Every structure is written in structure tokens, then in C-alpha cells.
Amino acid sequence: MTRDNAELPAWVRELLSESRFDRYLKKAGGEVDVAVRLYDWNLQASAAFYGPLHWLEVALRNALHHRLRERFGREDWWKAAQLADNAKFKIGRARRKIERRQDHTPDDVVAELTFGFWVSLLSRTHDRQIWVPAAHRAFPHYSGPRSALHEDFMGILDFRNRVMHHEPIFYLDLPEYHERIYRLLGYLSQDAARHAERTDEISAALDARDV
């Protein structure tokens, strides 16, 4: 039987909040101790995904930057590229942020841009101006359509945001996300994928689930 939220420990009600904890409590059938264990495991699993997500995000960013720099013949390629309004907005925001610093370079802008920005460069909006002339070369081990690649990255973007914003992931198909991260990283660099696997802790975290 589901316990009343009034029986939650004060630290859960005040620090995690009842609404945040409710999803865990429902999964645990109202058992507070089980829900707390599930919350702890969700945190452990999220931490395990951080490393592979780091490799994928940084690899995508730099691979696209290198190809676009070559295509437009300048470090600040975004000044020459035809980009969608939303992409221009994100670049403007990144530039304003780094311009507060005394010394800044185009590489600082690149580092400031979000994962969502780089994924957006794979969308249909940027097909002719970005994908066809340059971005496809960032994926030497991929031969499928741009649309499928973009869809895969959009799924990982949503998952990445859940992990980084401390949201529940316990109900998702985590082995599938695990496989997809490495598949996408392998499209960029098989060597990088093999290196990332050396310190991967996701399988161990998934095997440790007991709730």
C-alpha cells in the first residue's frame, strides 16, 4: 500500500521535495526506504553516463568545428556561414558571454556553445549550407542519411539533459542509450570510442540495480 507523503523523512520533503520524490515513491510501491535506494541508484547510473556523454559531446563539437573551419577558411566560421536564426542567437549569446573576459578567442566561443547548438547543425535546416559541403565529413564511419543521424543525436541530447539536470532516468531503456552513445561516438572516431570504453562504468552501474 502506498504511504502518505506525510511519512516522508523531513530531509526528503524539504531538500528533494515531495513532487520530485513522488516518481521514485510510486515505482517503489510507496516504500520510502526502497524509493530512497532507487534515488541513490539513479544518481549512480547518471554519474556512470557522465564520462561517455562527455566524450560524445566534446568529440561532436570539435569534429564539426574542424570541418567548418576548413570549409569557410577561418576560425570564426560562423561569421561566414548561413545559419538558422536560432543558431545565430546561440552564437550571439556565447560571444557576449566570453567578451566579458579580457582575452578571448574563437575557440572560447566554440567551447561556450551548447550540445544542442552542435546537434542543430545536423538538422534539415542546415542541410545545404552545413551538412552537404562540410559537416558530413565529421563522420568518417557513417554512411546513412543525415536525418537518421540527427534523430539519433536528438535522442541523446534529451537524455544528456536529463542526466545533467539531475532528472530520473531509471525508467528509460538505459542499455539502449549506452549502445547509442558508443555507436555515435564511433561514427566520429572508432579510436575515441575504444578509448572511452576503457573507463566505462555504465554496465557495472546497471548490474548493481537492486530496486
Side-chain angles (χ1 to χ4, degrees):
M1 186 172 77
T2 301
R3 299 186 182 185
D4 191 281
N5 281 350
E7 296 183 31
L8 292 177
W11 67 270
V12 171
R13 291 198 311 272
E14 296 172 9
L15 300 183
L16 294 182
S17 82
E18 292 181 10
S19 60
R20 179 180 183 83
F21 195 67
D22 186 60
R23 189 162 200 164
Y24 299 89
L25 195 62
K26 287 179 178 176
K27 178 65 176 178
E31 296 296 323
V32 175
D33 291 345
V34 175
V36 169
R37 291 207 333 263
L38 180 58
Y39 193 96
D40 286 341
W41 180 85
N42 192 88
L43 178 60
Q44 178 186 357
S46 296
F49 271 100
Y50 179 87
L53 286 169
H54 164 93
W55 282 111
L56 182 59
E57 182 168 348
V58 172
L60 177 67
R61 178 179 76 195
N62 288 325
L64 289 175
H65 174 54
H66 294 331
R67 301 291 82 79
L68 291 166
R69 181 178 58 190
E70 291 172 357
R71 169 70 176 85
F72 294 101
R74 53 192 296 173
E75 294 288 333
D76 54 354
W77 52 264
W78 48 86
K79 292 183 178 180
Q82 290 184 292
L83 300 172
D85 289 343
N86 188 50
K88 291 178 183 177
F89 172 79
K90 290 179 179 179
I91 289 172
R93 184 172 58 188
R95 290 178 63 189
R96 287 190 296 274
K97 188 172 182 179
I98 65 114
E99 283 169 0
R100 300 171 191 165
R101 307 171 194 169
Q102 196 168 33
D103 299 309
H104 56 268
T105 68
D107 281 343
D108 294 319
V109 176
V110 170
E112 194 65 42
L113 289 165
T114 65
F115 189 37
F117 168 83
W118 299 104
V119 171
S120 76
L121 296 185
L122 306 178
S123 70
R124 183 175 62 180
T125 305
H126 294 111
D127 187 60
R128 295 183 64 83
Q129 298 298 327
I130 299 296
W131 175 257
V132 172
H136 73 278
R137 292 190 290 111
F139 302 92
H141 305 290
Y142 179 72
S143 58
R146 175 206 51 75
S147 57
L149 185 67
H150 180 241
E151 184 178 352
D152 258 354
F153 268 104
M154 284 296 292
I156 291 298
L157 172 61
D158 179 72
F159 178 72
R160 176 258 187 216
N161 288 341
R162 285 192 166 277
V163 169
M164 299 305 176
H165 297 156
H166 320 304
E167 296 295 328
I169 63 170
F170 67 84
Y171 64 94
L172 299 173
D173 185 351
L174 298 182
E176 191 279 330
Y177 280 105
H178 189 195
E179 183 277 331
R180 194 190 314 188
I181 289 169
Y182 279 99
R183 176 161 46 82
L184 293 175
L185 184 56
Y187 293 157
L188 292 157
S189 169
Q190 294 179 356
D191 288 340
R194 283 190 289 269
H195 177 81
E197 286 178 335
R198 293 172 55 197
T199 55
D200 185 290
E201 298 179 351
I202 294 173
S203 294
L206 298 184
D207 290 343
R209 180 171 180 172
D210 63 352
V211 291

